[in-house]
């Protein structure tokens, strides 16, 4: 029987996860359910190794669950669960072996468990180096540049020079710090999964912005945020949705 710890603060999401366990005929003992970052840190400080696997939501009432794994040394593999795909890179830096989007699909959960079982066969408590190597093999590598197109040319563009990505009529464009515009053969969703989430943020369905080129932001329509960029000749009107506004403020370091 697999012993699991669940980090989740929403009752419907917890019920959905437990129901999905039954769908995949998973024999599991839930050791405990931790609803907040604060409670999880306190728990793991004294119960660091009493589970085989952790299922953790990313967004909790008092912050992102990544703070738990930064505060306490935890070696247990983690399956992260969230409603957004922008945290994927950070998830794989915190013992993440898989990243599931809500609502959880039974087939995707089963794949995550197969991955866990594969890892389990290749490492043990006495072979931490092998474990780290395997976890790294499942982690996406950070990019330092992207290949973009300018006319008939393909250009390697450093990520640090990119101000924003935007979608217009099903084409994704890239704008650099010199206001040059390029085309990239990737969707914004694909880019969100590849880019460093510390630097880039998916503001809405149309835009991904670079934190290094944000001049300011302000309230818009009371519950949204309007983002102003440092380059004056970039005329894009970027609005962060009501749902994403709290995450954007957190990403910017507010609170």
């Amino acid at each position: 029987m697999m012993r699991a710890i669940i980090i989740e603060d929403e009752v419907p999401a917890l019920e959905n996860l437990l129901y999905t366990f039954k769908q995949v005929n998973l024999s599991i003992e839930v050791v405990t359910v931790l609803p907040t970052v604060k409670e999880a840190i306190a728990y793991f400080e004294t119960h660091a190794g009493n589970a085989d696997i952790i299922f953790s939501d990313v967004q909790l009432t008092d912050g992102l669950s990544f703070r738990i794994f930064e505060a306490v040394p935890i070696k247990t593999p983690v399956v992260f669960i969230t409603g957004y795909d922008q945290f994927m890179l950070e998830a794989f830096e915190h013992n993440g072996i898989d990243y599931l989007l809500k609502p959880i699909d039974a087939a995707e959960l089963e794949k995550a468990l197969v991955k866990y079982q594969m890892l389990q066969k290749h490492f043990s408590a006495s072979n931490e180096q092998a474990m780290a190597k395997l976890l790294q093999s499942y982690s996406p590598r950070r990019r330092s540049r992207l290949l973009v197109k300018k006319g008939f040319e393909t250009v390697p563009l450093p990520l640090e020079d990119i101000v924003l990505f935007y979608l217009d009529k099903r084409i994704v464009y890239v704008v650099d710090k010199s206001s040059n515009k390029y085309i990239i053969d990737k969707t914004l969703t694909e880019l969100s999964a590849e880019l460093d989430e510390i630097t880039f943020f998916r503001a809405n369905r149309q835009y991904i912005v670079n934190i290094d080129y944000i001049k300011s932001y302000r309230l818009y329509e009371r519950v949204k945020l309007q983002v102003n960029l440092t380059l004056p000749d970039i005329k894009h009107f970027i609005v962060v949705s009501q749902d994403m506004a709290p995450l954007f403020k957190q990403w910017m370091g507010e609170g």
Side-chain angles (χ1 to χ4, degrees):
M1 178 175 289
M2 185 184 299
R3 292 168 55 84
I5 291 173
I6 300 175
I7 303 174
E8 176 61 73
D9 62 344
E10 298 178 355
V11 174
L14 175 60
E15 291 177 344
N16 173 248
L17 179 58
L18 296 176
Y19 174 74
T20 311
F21 286 161
K22 295 180 181 178
Q23 283 186 302
V24 297
N25 296 316
L26 178 62
S27 179
I28 187 167
E29 175 190 351
V30 178
V31 178
T32 187
V33 177
L34 304 167
T36 66
V37 171
K38 183 177 179 181
E39 290 178 62
I41 290 174
Y43 180 86
F44 285 118
E45 283 177 342
T46 55
H47 301 81
N50 67 337
D52 301 309
I53 191 168
I54 298 170
F55 294 90
S56 177
D57 191 357
V58 173
Q59 299 161 267
L60 302 174
T61 306
D62 57 344
L64 299 181
S65 63
F66 301 134
R67 306 294 84 82
I68 300 166
F69 305 98
E70 292 171 357
V72 185
I74 300 170
K75 299 175 182 178
T76 308
V78 185
V79 174
F80 285 98
I81 303 168
T82 182
Y84 303 96
D85 60 7
Q86 69 187 71
F87 301 108
M88 188 175 294
L89 283 173
E90 192 168 357
F92 283 106
E93 292 180 349
H94 295 86
N95 284 30
I97 62 169
D98 217 328
Y99 189 95
L100 305 181
L101 294 177
K102 295 181 179 179
I104 299 172
D105 179 76
E108 293 302 315
L109 176 62
E110 195 163 17
K111 289 179 183 177
L113 294 171
V114 169
K115 183 181 291 186
Y116 164 75
Q117 290 167 352
M118 290 173 60
L119 286 170
Q120 190 181 42
K121 291 178 181 178
H122 286 84
F123 66 81
S124 64
S126 61
N127 195 0
E128 295 178 8
Q129 186 176 1
M131 174 185 173
K133 186 175 181 180
L134 281 165
L135 287 174
Q136 184 179 14
S137 72
Y138 284 107
S139 304
R141 299 177 182 273
R142 291 191 184 278
R143 294 177 176 271
S144 61
R145 61 189 67 242
L146 289 175
L147 295 178
V148 296
K149 293 182 179 180
K150 184 77 171 179
F152 294 104
E153 293 185 325
T154 298
V155 181
L157 185 64
L159 286 174
E160 62 186 18
D161 293 345
I162 295 175
V163 178
L164 79 159
F165 301 86
Y166 72 94
L167 178 66
D168 184 25
K169 297 178 181 178
R170 299 186 179 183
I171 298 174
V172 176
Y173 295 92
V174 186
V175 179
D176 70 9
K177 63 183 182 182
S178 300
S179 299
N180 296 313
K181 186 168 74 171
Y182 309 87
I183 292 175
I184 187 166
D185 292 329
K186 290 180 179 290
T187 66
L188 290 185
T189 299
E190 290 172 334
L191 288 166
S192 293
E194 294 181 15
L195 295 170
D196 180 357
E197 73 283 352
I198 295 175
T199 304
F200 292 93
F201 186 87
R202 179 79 178 267
N204 52 45
R205 293 182 179 180
Q206 189 179 3
Y207 288 99
I208 295 176
V209 294
N210 185 334
I211 195 171
D212 294 327
Y213 297 96
I214 293 177
K215 179 180 180 181
S216 63
Y217 59 93
R218 63 181 181 85
L219 280 176
Y220 177 74
E221 295 181 350
R222 296 187 179 182
V223 293
K224 302 177 183 179
L225 296 172
Q226 180 185 340
V227 178
N228 300 309
L229 301 174
T230 56
L231 301 186
D233 52 343
I234 292 183
K235 305 300 182 182
H236 293 273
F237 186 72
I238 303 172
V239 174
V240 181
S241 68
Q242 178 181 352
D243 291 339
M244 296 300 291
L247 293 175
F248 178 85
K249 289 181 179 180
Q250 194 172 52
W251 176 70
M252 289 291 296
E254 181 177 335

